[in-house]
């Protein structure tokens, strides 16, 4: 459903951009959010309530720290590493994030219970959830630019260009539950991570003369299968053996790290792109592709780091063997 939602967003965003303005694409979530808020209380049973208080200090320092880190990386792409604002952004991020960890270690009811990282498999899966989107989210951004500015696609057609990836993802996730039962989580996770790294490495070799079929279709299919194989085992590993009272915090952290990884990863890849583009020569299309290819290469390295973490830290859940029937 997440893959379908992402693809529908690309297509609707393209239509709205063609018909009106890209700004209207930002309002897609408003009617969807209102509909969910209206219907959900009638369909979903309420979970047991527990007494608690909101960890305001942790929420503020964590949010401000990550925002400062993203700002600093984006500032690097514009002004370089010696810029005063860049250095101030990194220093502020470091101070706020250290403060966040100190607050969470002492808070009675932290927004981020650090004990969730005590489980080795869960800690490794959280690292994978952070690193994988960091390496692959940039592909959506740069491929959208390439499809419109190099291949001369309209915004709507650029959204349609991602259809093979979505179909590959949707087909893969349909069979992943059976693969998890037969093989366990780790082999499936590692296979998916290898494919994501392979897709980014393939895009690293992209050149300005490549068309959609010769340059983009293969990596998109590989990326769809890799995402489909990777995310479900990571989710299953994170939520396994979680106490009911901490299920919300565990799943909330999963979503937070996933989007934080994508945000930080994109800011890093945009920085890499900006540095490469300033040094590149040729036509605007050639500069765009060369800078994007450099960003894809760094994305591949991030995916390889995710592969190493998942392969060395996560032990994985063993496959479920069918019970023997009595003689």
């Amino acid at each position: 459903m997440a893959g379908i939602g992402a693809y529908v967003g690309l297509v609707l965003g393209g239509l709205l951009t063609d018909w009106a303005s890209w700004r209207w694409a930002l309002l897609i979530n408003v009617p969807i959010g209102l509909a969910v808020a209206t219907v959900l209380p009638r369909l979903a049973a309420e979970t047991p309530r527990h007494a608690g208080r909101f960890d305001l200090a942790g929420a503020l320092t964590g949010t401000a720290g990550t925002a400062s880190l993203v700002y600093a990386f984006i500032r690097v792409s514009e002004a370089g590493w010696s810029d005063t604002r860049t250095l101030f952004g990194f220093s502020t991020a470091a101070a706020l994030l250290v403060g966040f960890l100190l607050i969470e270690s002492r808070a009675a009811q932290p927004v981020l219970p650090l004990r969730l990282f005590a489980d080795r498999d869960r800690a490794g899966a959280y690292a994978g959830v952070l690193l994988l989107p960091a390496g692959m989210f940039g592909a959506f951004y740069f491929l959208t630019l390439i499809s419109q500015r190099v291949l001369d696609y309209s915004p709507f057609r650029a959204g349609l260009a991602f259809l093979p990836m979505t179909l590959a993802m949707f087909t893969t996730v349909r069979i992943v539950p059976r693969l998890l039962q037969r093989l366990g989580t780790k082999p499936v996770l590692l296979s998916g991570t290898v494919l994501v790294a392979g897709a980014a490495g393939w895009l690293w070799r992209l050149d300005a003369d490549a068309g959609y079929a010769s340059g983009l279709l293969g990596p998109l299919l590989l990326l769809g299968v890799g995402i489909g194989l990777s995310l479900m085992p990571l989710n299953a590993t994170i939520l396994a053996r979680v106490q009911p009272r901490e299920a919300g915090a565990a799943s909330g952290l999963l979503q937070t790290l996933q989007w934080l990884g994508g945000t930080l990863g994109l800011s890093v890849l945009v920085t890499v792109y900006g540095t490469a583009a300033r040094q590149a020569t040729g036509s605007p299309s050639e500069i765009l592709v060369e800078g994007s290819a450099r960003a894809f290469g760094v994305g591949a390295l991030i995916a390889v780091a995710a592969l190493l973490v998942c392969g060395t830290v996560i032990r994985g859940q063993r496959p479920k063997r069918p019970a023997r029937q009595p003689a």
Side-chain angles (χ1 to χ4, degrees):
M1 292 306 297
I4 292 173
Y7 178 69
V8 169
L10 287 169
V11 174
L12 288 179
L15 283 173
L16 290 172
T17 302
D18 274 340
W19 293 344
S21 166
W22 63 268
R23 299 178 187 276
W24 286 96
L26 300 176
L27 296 178
I28 291 177
N29 285 338
V30 175
I32 296 175
L34 292 175
V36 171
T38 302
V39 174
L40 186 62
R42 305 176 184 179
L43 300 180
E46 183 61 86
T47 56
R49 299 193 177 202
H50 304 283
R53 51 185 295 182
F54 183 60
D55 179 16
L56 182 60
L60 289 177
T61 53
T63 302
T66 53
S68 299
L69 188 60
V70 171
Y71 169 80
F73 275 117
I74 293 177
R75 181 72 185 176
V76 166
S77 66
E78 300 175 353
W81 290 95
S82 60
D83 177 68
T84 303
R85 293 185 182 181
T86 299
L87 297 176
F88 179 75
F90 281 120
S91 301
T92 302
L96 287 170
L97 292 176
V98 169
F100 169 71
L101 292 177
L102 291 175
I103 291 171
E104 297 308 280
S105 65
R106 300 173 182 176
Q109 293 179 318
V111 68
L112 172 57
L114 297 181
R115 55 184 173 272
L116 289 174
F117 296 97
D119 184 285
R120 171 179 167 178
D121 284 356
R122 187 179 299 117
Y126 275 136
V129 164
L130 180 73
L131 289 171
L132 266 181
M136 69 186 184
F137 270 36
F140 305 146
Y141 174 74
F142 290 109
L143 289 178
T144 301
L145 291 178
I146 290 171
S147 63
Q148 294 185 65
R149 298 185 180 179
V150 179
L151 301 180
D152 201 26
Y153 287 178
S154 67
F156 174 61
R157 190 179 178 187
L160 290 177
F162 287 89
L163 179 59
M165 183 193 72
T166 306
L167 292 177
M169 187 192 313
F170 184 73
T171 303
T172 302
V173 298
R174 298 288 294 174
I175 64 173
V176 167
R178 292 195 292 271
L179 293 176
L180 293 177
Q181 288 184 344
R182 180 174 298 181
L183 303 175
T185 54
K186 190 168 183 176
V188 178
L189 170 60
L190 295 183
S191 299
T193 309
V194 167
L195 293 180
V196 171
W202 192 342
L203 289 169
W204 181 30
R205 309 300 302 171
L206 191 66
D207 60 69
D209 296 327
Y212 177 78
S214 60
L216 303 186
L217 181 58
L220 284 172
L221 290 171
L222 208 62
L223 190 60
V225 176
I227 294 172
L229 289 174
S230 302
L231 293 185
M232 193 177 293
L234 286 172
N235 291 351
T237 302
I238 288 172
L239 298 178
R241 301 184 299 276
V242 173
Q243 298 298 320
R245 290 188 63 136
E246 295 183 344
S251 58
L253 179 59
L254 187 160
Q255 295 294 329
T256 300
L257 289 178
Q258 178 174 308
W259 290 106
L260 176 61
T263 303
L264 288 175
L266 181 57
S267 66
V268 170
L269 297 185
V270 167
T271 300
V272 173
Y273 167 84
T275 302
R278 285 195 296 270
Q279 299 172 352
T281 58
S283 66
S285 295
E286 291 172 336
I287 293 174
L288 172 61
V289 173
E290 183 174 342
S292 299
R294 191 75 61 84
F296 290 138
V298 175
L301 293 178
I302 296 175
V304 170
L307 175 64
L308 293 176
V309 169
C310 294
T312 57
V313 178
I314 297 176
R315 294 164 296 189
Q317 302 172 26
R318 295 182 179 181
K320 295 181 179 180
R321 303 296 183 185
R324 293 184 178 182
Q325 298 295 329

